[in-house]
Amino acid sequence: MTEEKELLTILSKEEFENVLAHLEKEFGKPEIVKRLSLQSTDYRWADVDTRIRITNGKAEIIQKVGDWKKQNRQEITIPLPSEPKVIFDMYKIFMNAMRDENVLTPIMQYENRLFKTKDFEIKLTHQFGKKDAYNCEIEVFDLDLEPDDLAKKYAIPIHLPTQTQDFWKKWNETVNLSATQISDEELLKIISEYVN
């Protein structure tokens, strides 16, 4: 389990492009990471976030635990085989276990651009599904650093999301596909696009 100290800011497309150009001048070309994240989450519990995540073909179960507002979340991960049917079945188990009208099942698709040093990482994200959305996450590894200070240093606008059930529910309904609104065949096809 690792402790996280990070800042998440929502960006417009123009801000995203400006920050990307600025960071490329500062650090060079970023690492590009393609990610699929499958959730079955009750947003009434903001201190626990469990999902299946596929990053550049590598699948895992991930759980983040802790308070967003204090910026001190811990992350637990368990590797999964990168086999579409296994991932599909595991996600179905999550959805079956979390039946409630307040549970959302977003299918989150991302293309991230990572700028990483030994002390911190800046991740610019283009998220898509129903619609395009953009954000930036600054995570520090040197806990003496402050994400807010790095945002100022690298001219990253800070538009903090409201860490509430309503904000993320609306975000997911607007930006992401929902596993309960597509067929099993479509879901398996999406999963297959993200594994090696």
Side-chain angles (χ1 to χ4, degrees), residues 5 11 57 61 67 75 82 111 149 152-153 157 164 172:
K5 188 175 175 184
L11 302 177
I61 296 172
D67 190 334
E75 190 173 286
S82 293
E111 185 171 278
D149 295 338
K152 289 176 190 158
K153 179 176 180 179
T164 65
N172 279 307

Side-chain angles (χ1 to χ4, degrees), residues 7-11 19 23 122-125 134-138 156-157:
L7 169 115
L8 175 67
T9 177
I10 307 298
L11 302 177
V19 170
L23 291 176
I122 299 174
K123 177 171 63 180
L124 284 169
T125 298
Y134 303 89
N135 65 57
C136 179
E137 186 178 309
I138 301 168
I156 300 168

Side-chain angles (χ1 to χ4, degrees), residues 95-137:
M95 290 193 305
N96 292 335
M98 306 258 316
R99 290 188 184 179
D100 187 281
E101 64 185 28
N102 288 302
V103 172
L104 298 181
T105 56
I107 299 168
M108 297 175 283
Q109 300 177 78
Y110 307 93
E111 185 171 278
N112 298 316
R113 288 165 173 79
L114 298 180
F115 298 90
K116 194 169 186 176
T117 74
K118 67 178 180 61
D119 297 325
F120 62 87
E121 176 183 278
I122 299 174
K123 177 171 63 180
L124 284 169
T125 298
H126 170 213
Q127 191 171 349
F128 53 93
K130 287 183 186 172
K131 147 183 179 179
D132 294 317
Y134 303 89
N135 65 57
C136 179
E137 186 178 309

Side-chain angles (χ1 to χ4, degrees), residues 7 37 42 52 81 94 112 123 143-144 166 171 185 188:
L7 169 115
S37 187
D42 187 334
I52 294 173
F94 282 6
N112 298 316
K123 177 171 63 180
L143 297 181
D144 291 331
D166 288 341
W171 176 276
E185 291 77 17
L188 187 56

